[in-house]
Amino acid sequence: MVRFSVPEMHCAGCIASVTRAIQGGDKAAIVTASLETHLVEVTSHLPVAQLAGLIEDAGFTVKPVA
Ligand SMILES: [Cu+2]
């Protein structure tokens, strides 16, 4: 599981966009997002950089969280 900070994620629509973007790259990905922490947790076989790219392509600033 990898964790990303997505500060611009502010509503359920944003979560839907992020989830759709990730699952566009890996339809089996499990995505959990929190509006309180702006964290997105992803379980996927894709590498971290590629997951970050998918989120970015959806229009969000993203950074991996250690
Ligand atoms: Cu939103």
Side-chain angles (χ1 to χ4, degrees), residues 2-54:
V2 288
R3 196 175 278 133
F4 300 94
S5 174
V6 185
E8 294 156 355
M9 188 176 62
H10 289 302
C11 72
C14 294
I15 290 180
S17 298
V18 168
T19 301
R20 209 167 28 237
I22 293 167
Q23 292 180 340
D26 172 10
K27 66 182 194 307
I30 298 167
V31 182
T32 308
S34 166
L35 291 177
E36 285 176 19
T37 60
H38 303 289
L39 290 176
V40 179
E41 293 181 351
V42 184
T43 302
S44 169
H45 66 274
L46 296 178
V48 174
Q50 191 173 344
L51 291 169
L54 290 168

